Amino acid sequence: MPDGVVLPLTGGCACGAVRFEIGTRLLGAVYCHCTRCQHRTGTAAAPSAGVRPGTFQVVAGEDHIRRWNAGNGNDKAFCGVCGSALFSQNPDNPDVMFVRMGAFDGDPGVRPGGRVHVASAAVWEPIPEDGIVRFPGFAGAEDSSGEP
């Protein structure tokens, strides 16, 4: 973990209605270029960090969290007050969770190490030549239906 990272990691939404903590270091992070993330964020890619099972805890505002699911992927959790994206979670296995990196208060201690769903990347913003490994679907899996 980079110097200066303090545990627990803390974060929340823009208005402060929802707050969370993560008690241990993160698994890693990726940029997701899927069209669902493009629509959800209004950007070309969404940086998200994988959370170790059992370490994420909502400490305030659980009643403000809203979820949306297109029917074939992870639930997208956001603040019902301000609309801030918070995390995604597998509805069939809630231990599989990715926190939106912009939701952290400080340095989360990880940097994106992959770019997933580059086969559906936005044509209007070329993927930078940054040396980060690229996967056409989710983490190189043959079945590219996964998403952060």
Side-chain angles (χ1 to χ4, degrees), residues 43-147:
T43 64
S48 298
V51 177
R52 292 178 189 282
T55 64
F56 179 92
Q57 179 180 5
V58 175
V59 295
E62 179 113 30
D63 56 326
H64 294 299
I65 296 175
R66 303 292 179 264
R67 293 172 181 262
W68 175 79
N69 191 312
N72 61 347
N74 288 343
D75 288 345
K76 307 299 185 256
F78 59 95
C79 174
V81 177
C82 66
S84 294
L86 298 165
F87 58 88
S88 68
Q89 194 169 33
N90 184 316
D92 298 322
N93 183 359
D95 282 341
V96 178
M97 172 182 249
F98 297 88
V99 173
R100 305 310 179 200
M101 291 186 73
F104 287 109
D105 290 332
D107 185 351
V110 295
R111 305 295 180 262
R115 294 184 174 278
V116 297
H117 293 288
V118 298
S120 56
V123 297
W124 44 265
E125 184 173 337
I127 298 173
E129 295 297 333
D130 53 13
I132 296 176
V133 65
R134 300 174 184 199
F135 301 98
F138 185 68
E142 287 181 34
D143 174 291
S144 61
S145 62
E147 62 183 275

